[in-house]
Each structure stands twice: as C-alpha cells, then as structure tokens.
Amino acid sequence: SERVKKSGACGQVLKEAMLTNRDLSALGDVLQSLQGKQKFIPYRNSIMTEILSDCIGGSAQTLVYLHLCPATDQSFESLCTLKFGERFSKQFVF
C-alpha cells in the first residue's frame, strides 16, 4: 500500500497511490468474500479485481506474496502488510 502522508506524494503520484490503495482494499474485500463463501463477490469494485476475477475465484488457485521490510523504522508498514494478509490467510494453503 501507499502511505500518502509519509511519502509526501502529490499530483499524479498521489492519484496513483490512491488508486493502488483502493485496488488493494477491493482485492481484500473479494478474497474475504471468497473465504466466507458469500453469494455475492464484489469483483466490480475495482478494475483490477474485475480483470483478475477468473484468476481468484471459482476453482482457481491464487498465490499472494507479502513483502515485509526488516528495518525497525518500517515495522508499522510490515504490520499493516501482515494484517492485510491475515484478512484472507485461511482461504489459501501455504
């Protein structure tokens, strides 16, 4: 994800960061809906999840990589990444 305040992004970079965050949130929502075996899966909440719908739903198998930084000053970012992964970790076998 992109931390806009921390990065000081503005202009086009800010817009891209906001879109990245929105798409990651939508992906988390889709994977959580799949995990809960919901009848409605919100694939259309973002272009990314709509494009990936065939790859992340039905009988498809999905592998998600989480990138963590070992630096202590980045521990908050790593924690946020782990919390994101936790949202759907039970859906997949690692």
Side-chain angles (χ1 to χ4, degrees):
S1 72
E2 298 294 327
R3 299 278 175 228
V4 175
K5 242 182 195 180
K6 190 174 183 180
S7 69
C10 58
Q12 184 64 28
V13 176
L14 174 61
K15 185 177 179 181
E16 289 174 8
M18 291 170 57
L19 291 173
T20 298
N21 288 337
R22 187 193 69 196
D23 287 344
L24 287 173
S25 179
L27 178 61
D29 293 344
V30 165
L31 294 173
Q32 196 168 20
S33 295
L34 288 168
Q35 178 182 359
K37 304 203 185 307
Q38 302 292 320
K39 288 183 181 181
F40 174 74
I41 310 297
Y43 291 116
R44 293 187 180 180
N45 284 0
S46 98
I47 294 171
M48 181 182 74
T49 55
E50 193 169 353
I51 290 170
L52 293 175
S53 63
D54 291 338
C55 302
I56 56 179
S59 61
Q61 294 184 1
T62 305
L63 178 63
V64 177
Y65 287 95
L66 303 175
H67 181 224
L68 304 174
C69 181
T72 56
D73 64 328
Q74 297 297 318
S75 60
F76 179 75
E77 295 297 326
S78 294
L79 182 61
C80 288
T81 301
L82 289 171
K83 285 182 180 180
F84 175 80
E86 184 179 40
R87 289 179 66 186
F88 54 88
S89 63
K90 295 175 186 166
Q91 175 70 22
F92 306 102
V93 176
F94 295 101

